[in-house]
Every structure is written in C-alpha cells, then in structure tokens.
C-alpha cells in the first residue's frame, strides 16, 4: 500500500482531474513519500539518486577534521569564528517587483542547525533586536542530525519564532537535515510551512507570491517543479533549501530565489574558497548574490554549522533584504 502511494506521489503530483479525487490530500501524499525516503535513507535528486553511505562518509570526514583541529589547537578558534555571525543588509533590484512592494523587507534565516550550537536562537534575537520586518523566511536545516528526535530542535525554534517581529508573518521550507514530522509543530508555532505550495501577499492591487518547495538536495520530486510553475503569471519569490533548482526556477519565471544549504563552504581556504560545497549542480552559486537569466538568487551562508561547529574563512550570516523596484533602462 505504502509503495503504491509513494508511486502516486512521485509520478502524479498534479491535482487530480474532477471526478478522480484521491482521498489523500497532496500534503498527505507528500508526507508519505518523504517519510519513506527518510526512513529508507533513499535520497532523490533530479538527475539521479544518492546512496545512503554518502552522509556517513561525510560524518567520518567531519570527525577526522575535528580530531585534526584539536590536535593542531585550531578547534577553539574555529568555534569562535562560528559565533561571529554577521548581519548583512542588501538591496535587491528587481525589474518586475510591483510598485507597492518597493522597499519590502525580508529577514532571511537559513541553516540554523539549532541543536549544533546551543543558545544560537538567543544570539539571533540579540543581533536582530527589536527590528520589524515585512516578512521572515526560513530556508531549512533547523537541526544538525539527519535522524532522531525533533523535539530538542523544535524547543529551540519556538522562542526564536516568538521573538521575531514580521508584519506578514514567518514562512518556512524544509531542508535536507529536516524531518517531515517537523511541519506540524512548526505550523503550531505560527510558521506557515510551504510544502510545494504558494501563498500570495497583497498590497492594494499588487501581489507578491511566495512559492516554497520541499528540499531538492535529498528529496527532489516533480511536485517541487509543479509548485514553481505558479511563478508564470505573477511576481514570485521562491524559497528552496538549495540553489540546485536554479535553472528550473528561472525557466518557470521566478523573480527572486532565496536558498541556503552550502554554509558558504563553512570550512574554506583563505579568500573564502570552499573545499566542499554540498551541491551537485549550480556549484558556482554556493554563496552570495547571483543572477541566472532574469532571476536573481541569494545563497545565504547560514547562521549555524553542520558536522563540526566551526568555521574558517567564512562567516555565518543573518540576511536582511530590501526589495527594490528596478528601473529598466530604456533605449533612446
Ligand atoms: Fe545546512
């Protein structure tokens, strides 16, 4: 039965035709499919799957790095670096931005990995202060572990979300470290989770659409693509955990693509050159602001850390974006 449901979820994610309704909602189909992938350690990518041993190989590398850092007395320095979190404010010029959203502010937090750096939620609130934003978006990886209890992470996320001040609320998507069971408690905290779904914010006649997909690094399904198809006819901000869906989103007309996943390399060579990017494609978009066709992308360096709680030659960041209506130059 479960296998049959999974096949339906991955192969037939479009809404059923009238008269062909399934008794399971799209959310339920998604949850069954993702639960199976999580429990079977079956990673799905658009261009091929990924073996269950990948993460364990990475963990081995991380443990080796930790031992080396401790032996060379660099570990404490790396931990201090990880806590030097930048608050980075950027203006994003967008030609199609509706006039009513000119100056719209977005607090973008990604890769919190709250269980990896205890107290991080308090640090974020201290850094953001009493600032009010139009919207807050969370682009996944709330915990460090890939499996196990979610409660410790949810208990740390709750006070963070409660302390944020956002006129249009908090929107979130899942990352590859997250568990499908997080959706319900996160929504109970007041976060509107977008699981291959979209919402529209209105200011007068103007509309800003936000589409959020499930993680595409480990848990890609065609449902993510179908969700992004909503971008065709309205200004759209996409929330995707990883930059790896950059070409799909740009082709479908997404205007602004916010993501994380890479931690900007986390442990980098001097100059910020990443040793490992954790991307199978779109590797040049592993940090900062970028452009692909008409779409602007921003890859958040993440607030937290994964594997070992250290950073070298890169900083964690809290991003504050101000959307600006760009004037397209006219030819004389
Ligand atoms: Fe992450």
């Amino acid at each position: 039965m479960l296998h049959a449901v999974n096949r339906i979820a991955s192969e037939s994610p479009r809404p059923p035709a009238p008269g062909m309704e399934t008794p399971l909602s799209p959310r339920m189909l998604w949850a069954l499919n993702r639960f199976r992938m999580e429990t079977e350690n079956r990673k799905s990518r658009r261009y091929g799957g990924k073996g269950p041993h990948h993460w364990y190989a990475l963990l081995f590398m991380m443990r080796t790095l930790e031992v080396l850092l401790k032996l060379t007395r660099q570990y404490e320095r790396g931990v201090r670096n990880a806590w030097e979190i930048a608050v980075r404010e950027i203006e994003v010029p967008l030609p199609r931005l509706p006039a009513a959203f000119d100056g719209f502010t977005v607090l973008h937090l990604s890769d919190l990995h709250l269980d990896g750096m205890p107290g991080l939620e308090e640090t974020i609130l201290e850094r953001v202060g009493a600032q009010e934003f139009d919207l807050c978006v969370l682009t996944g990886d709330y915990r460090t572990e890939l499996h196990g209890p979610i409660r410790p992470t949810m208990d740390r996320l709750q006070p963070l979300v409660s302390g944020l001040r956002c006129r249009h609320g908090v929107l979130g998507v899942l990352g590859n470290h997250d568990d499908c069971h997080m959706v319900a408690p996160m929504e109970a905290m007041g976060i509107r989770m977008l699981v291959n779904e979209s919402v529209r914010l209105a200011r007068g006649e103007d509309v800003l659409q936000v589409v959020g997909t499930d993680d595409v690094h480990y848990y890609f399904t065609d449902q993510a693509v179908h969700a992004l198809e909503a971008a065709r006819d309205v200004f759209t901000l996409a929330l995707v955990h990883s930059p790896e869906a950059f070409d799909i989103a740009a082709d479908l007309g997404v205007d602004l693509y916010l993501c994380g996943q890479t931690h900007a390399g986390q442990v980098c060579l001097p100059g910020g050159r990443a040793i490992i990017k954790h991307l199978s494609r779109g590797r040049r978009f592993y940090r900062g602001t970028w452009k692909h066709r008409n779409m602007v992308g921003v890859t958040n360096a993440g607030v937290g850390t994964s594997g070992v709680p250290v950073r070298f030659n890169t900083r964690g960041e809290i991003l504050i974006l101000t959307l600006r209506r760009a004037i397209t130059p006219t030819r004389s």
Side-chain angles (χ1 to χ4, degrees):
M1 166 64 183
L2 193 57
H3 285 266
V5 169
N6 287 333
R7 189 152 38 79
I8 292 168
S10 59
E11 293 175 5
S12 183
R14 288 174 185 277
M20 297 288 287
E21 283 83 2
T22 167
L24 296 175
S25 67
R27 272 267 182 122
M28 182 61 78
L29 287 169
W30 163 81
L32 287 167
N33 194 41
R34 172 134 180 181
F35 179 68
R36 178 191 168 199
M37 286 197 278
E38 287 174 8
T39 52
E40 293 181 359
N41 249 334
R42 187 167 64 80
K43 315 304 184 196
S44 166
R45 285 179 170 172
R46 192 178 193 206
Y47 301 104
K50 193 172 184 54
H53 304 299
H54 168 83
W55 175 246
Y56 300 107
L58 201 60
L59 268 184
F60 176 76
M61 284 170 58
M62 290 292 185
R63 293 287 84 85
T64 306
L65 173 68
E66 187 173 350
V67 170
L68 283 174
L69 289 173
K70 285 180 176 171
L71 284 173
T72 56
R73 300 175 189 270
Q74 292 298 307
Y75 184 80
E76 293 304 326
R77 187 177 142 225
V79 171
R80 282 197 303 277
N81 292 344
W83 283 94
E84 285 180 6
I85 298 159
V87 178
R88 198 157 66 90
E89 299 188 30
I90 52 174
E91 293 214 340
V92 187
L94 297 156
R96 293 208 317 155
L97 184 71
F101 288 90
D102 187 28
F104 192 80
T105 54
V106 180
L107 172 66
H108 179 201
L109 302 174
S110 194
D111 298 84
L112 296 166
H113 296 289
L114 289 168
D115 50 339
M117 290 171 61
L120 189 59
E121 63 279 15
E122 292 156 21
T123 301
I124 295 168
L125 288 175
E126 283 168 15
R127 300 305 308 274
V128 166
Q131 253 184 290
E132 189 174 16
F133 307 95
D134 288 312
L135 181 68
C136 173
V137 298
L138 310 172
T139 48
D141 274 10
Y142 306 98
R143 73 171 176 186
T144 301
E145 301 299 330
L146 285 177
H147 302 283
I150 62 171
R151 184 46 55 194
T153 300
M154 295 296 98
D155 287 347
R156 288 184 172 130
L157 188 58
Q158 170 78 69
L160 171 60
V161 171
S162 301
L164 297 174
R165 299 178 65 216
C166 309
R167 294 177 195 92
H168 291 275
V170 182
L171 302 177
V173 295
L174 292 182
N176 60 309
H177 282 245
D178 301 324
D179 185 307
C180 60
H181 294 94
M182 288 179 178
V183 171
M186 288 178 74
E187 292 203 322
M189 292 174 204
I191 304 169
R192 170 71 163 94
M193 294 301 288
L194 297 175
V195 183
N196 303 317
E197 294 160 338
S198 59
V199 291
R200 290 187 173 200
L201 311 178
R203 283 186 170 180
E205 298 289 304
D206 288 344
V207 169
L208 183 152
Q209 176 175 247
V210 186
V211 175
T213 74
D214 191 11
D215 166 57
V216 298
H217 183 64
Y218 277 179
Y219 302 110
F220 176 86
T221 65
D222 285 344
Q223 284 165 298
V225 181
H226 295 314
L228 292 167
E229 283 174 355
R232 287 195 193 283
D233 53 357
V234 62
F235 180 91
T236 297
L237 159 61
L239 307 178
V240 187
H241 176 58
S242 151
E244 288 160 305
F246 69 98
D247 50 349
I248 304 169
D251 286 350
L252 292 172
V254 167
D255 295 275
L256 175 61
Y257 184 112
L258 300 184
C259 58
Q261 155 71 6
T262 63
H263 304 188
Q266 189 170 318
V267 174
C268 296
L269 299 172
R273 286 185 58 195
I275 302 164
I276 301 176
K277 295 179 179 172
H278 298 287
L279 296 176
S280 61
R281 53 203 307 276
R283 289 169 58 79
R284 62 191 182 279
F285 303 138
Y286 80 99
R287 65 175 180 176
T289 305
W290 42 271
K291 200 162 190 291
H292 183 69
R293 299 192 188 129
N294 295 322
M295 183 181 79
V296 176
V298 181
T299 306
N300 192 314
V303 190
T305 53
S306 178
V308 188
V310 299
R311 281 187 186 258
F312 287 93
N313 300 311
T314 186
R315 290 177 76 180
E317 65 183 6
I318 294 165
L319 280 183
I320 300 169
L321 297 93
T322 302
L323 311 192
R324 290 289 178 203
R325 186 175 160 87
I327 307 298
T328 317
T330 52
R331 290 184 186 183
S332 55

